[in-house]
Amino acid sequence: MLVLGIETSCDDTAVALVENGQKILAGGRASQEKIHAQYGGIVPEVACRVHYETLMPLVQKVCTDSGKQLSDIDAVAVTNQPGLVGSLYVGLSSAKALAWALGKPLVTVDHIEAHIYAAHLHDPELDYPHVSVVVSGGHTDIFLSTGPTEHKLITRTLDDAAGECFDKVAALLGIGYPGGPAVQMTSLGGDREAIKFPRGEAGPDGLQLSFSGLKTAVLNDLRKRGFVIEAQRNAGRLITARAPETPVPKSETRTLSVKLPLADIAASFQEAAVDILVRATLAATRKVRCRAVVLCGGVAANKRLREVMAAACKAQKNTGFHAAPLNLCTDNAEMIAGLGFHKLVIGQIASLDADVLPNKDEKRQKAETA
Ligand code: KG4
Ligand code: ZN
């Protein structure tokens, strides 16, 4: 069965054709990174307009690349939750129109469940149950997964998502957007032990996850070094550090004083973020007595996180470690089409009046804790 996947929940427009939930025939992604970089973060209205322009040409391209016609597809799968409301609507409306015009079923997919499925797409042997660590720009959730759509929440961040923290720290350091890859790159050659950033409270069972304290610690470190933290209101959420002697920049793009040991700060910050995630993951595996971990979502592309998580899992009773492949960590439509296939085979077809659920907590707050 051939499923067309559509993903527009945030700032990436993505389309893919996947056969039987496993074989990727073609996939395309149009990133809006450069557009949003000038604002230091995603501007929702801009994101949805760009999706609107980009989506259908991408559908055409993916068909051409795979040598398939739209009439060959068996279903249309689309992300309808969670995400930015306008962005989700562009994908869902287009998917409805395609499904209706082609006379094929529509399947709506939860973006977080799809991130977890990305690891299965890569590794058909990967079995359930496993502890799923979803670390992205909007989410830091740890689940016990017992099937493609069966996930019980074990713990989640109390405040910022891990990716959001990388993005905010990168903005502070003035090293670019999105922050994760920028921090990873900047940390190369840096000393991970240079600054002992706090890892936050683990809580009695080790499951407590929080990133806002870490972000504040970086901010305080910069202040201690004499840097002025300026909020650039015209750029929305962008906050950047500035050496007192540097003239206030006219535009948002600026170069920091060379006096800041950027590599050490980035490496020390990254190490702290990695430690927080690894500690909570191991605690989760102990809590639910599960000896397999799946790491996924944009932050799962972080090399140091993959390295430390793999070693920590091995050291804890040889717990199995699986990570989504690098190209399927950040948002993509292969994971949507892949999971869409599984929903299709169990008959979870959406009706043409399906709506979007932008807020992850609308549904997930109801999740029982494992
Ligand atoms: O999964 P994703 O593409 O979108 C959401 O669903 O949020 O994740 C995007 C997030 C961004 O915050 C980005 O900075 C982060 O993933 N990210 C990384 C890396 N690559 C992307 N964080 C740390 N290290 C990376 N290499
Ligand atoms: Zn995502």
Side-chain angles (χ1 to χ4, degrees):
M1 283 217 245
L2 186 61
V3 177
L4 175 75
I6 294 178
E7 158 62 41
T8 62
S9 66
C10 195
D11 63 334
D12 284 313
T13 318
V15 176
L17 274 170
V18 176
E19 216 165 56
N20 297 331
Q22 214 67 64
K23 189 173 173 204
I24 300 168
L25 300 193
R29 175 160 43 173
S31 166
Q32 302 179 11
E33 258 168 40
K34 288 206 177 93
I35 299 169
H36 297 286
Q38 57 188 304
Y39 305 106
I42 297 162
V43 182
E45 177 157 340
V46 174
C48 97
R49 283 176 181 228
V50 180
H51 286 311
Y52 193 62
E53 289 167 4
T54 319
L55 181 57
M56 294 317 283
L58 205 52
V59 171
Q60 285 175 319
K61 181 175 183 306
V62 164
C63 286
T64 309
D65 290 352
S66 62
K68 296 283 180 188
Q69 314 269 322
L70 274 178
S71 53
D72 295 327
I73 68 164
D74 296 296
V76 182
V78 62
T79 308
N80 77 324
Q81 62 176 304
L84 301 171
V85 61
S87 292
L88 288 168
Y89 270 132
V90 175
L92 182 61
S93 311
S94 309
K96 281 183 182 182
L98 280 168
W100 182 70
L102 296 167
K104 301 293 178 187
L106 173 76
V107 180
T108 52
V109 169
D110 179 313
H111 182 83
I112 301 175
E113 291 179 353
H115 267 304
I116 300 170
Y117 187 76
H120 290 261
L121 197 49
H122 162 67
D123 180 0
E125 306 290 299
L126 175 58
D127 213 352
Y128 298 95
H130 54 71
V131 165
S132 307
V133 184
V134 187
V135 271
S136 68
H139 318 277
T140 300
D141 299 342
I142 303 183
F143 299 98
L144 173 63
S145 302
T146 49
T149 57
E150 311 297 317
H151 310 281
K152 273 190 173 181
L153 185 67
I154 303 171
T155 184
R156 69 157 39 133
T157 179
L158 293 171
D159 37 59
D160 291 352
E164 188 181 354
C165 188
F166 271 90
D167 293 339
K168 286 177 177 169
V169 166
L172 259 177
L173 299 178
I175 55 175
Y177 174 86
V183 167
Q184 178 168 305
M185 186 94 88
T186 308
S187 71
L188 294 176
D191 177 3
R192 296 181 204 122
E193 310 295 325
I195 308 147
K196 194 78 188 152
F197 286 124
R199 270 63 173 164
E201 288 292 316
D205 48 9
L207 290 171
Q208 193 161 299
L209 266 169
S210 159
F211 288 94
S212 73
L214 176 56
K215 175 193 64 192
T216 308
V218 177
L219 193 79
N220 289 339
D221 179 81
L222 296 179
R223 282 200 174 115
K224 266 201 307 220
R225 291 170 195 274
F227 274 72
V228 175
I229 311 300
E230 65 194 27
Q232 301 192 347
R233 296 194 193 289
N234 60 343
R237 290 161 286 162
L238 184 68
I239 300 174
T240 312
R242 176 174 65 84
E245 70 276 19
T246 340
V248 177
K250 287 205 175 69
S251 76
E252 298 86 43
T253 33
R254 55 184 312 281
T255 322
L256 273 176
S257 157
V258 286
K259 283 184 200 147
L260 203 55
L262 280 178
D264 286 354
I265 299 175
S268 301
F269 157 73
Q270 180 175 261
E271 201 64 8
V274 166
D275 282 353
I276 295 170
L277 289 168
V278 171
R279 177 182 71 201
T281 303
L282 294 184
T285 61
R286 290 192 295 267
K287 166 129 200 235
V288 298
R289 295 196 180 84
C290 178
R291 299 248 303 267
V293 167
V294 160
L295 182 66
C296 58
V299 183
N302 187 275
K303 199 167 166 280
R304 182 72 186 150
L305 175 60
R306 294 167 89 96
E307 221 170 72
V308 178
M309 190 74 92
C313 285
K314 192 156 187 259
Q316 183 175 269
K317 296 190 186 156
N318 219 5
T319 299
F321 174 69
H322 312 265
L326 285 181
N327 63 325
L328 299 180
C329 282
T330 44
D331 291 349
N332 64 85
E334 287 83 342
M335 65 186 192
I336 308 301
L339 181 58
F341 164 78
H342 287 275
K343 295 190 77 169
L344 183 67
V345 294
I346 57 170
Q348 285 189 11
I349 312 295
S351 62
L352 288 180
D353 64 357
D355 203 357
V356 301
L357 271 169
N359 184 354
K360 64 181 176 199
D361 293 328
E362 274 176 49
K363 183 182 116 180
R364 293 200 172 270
Q365 252 175 10
K366 292 180 204 149
E368 286 170 49
T369 47

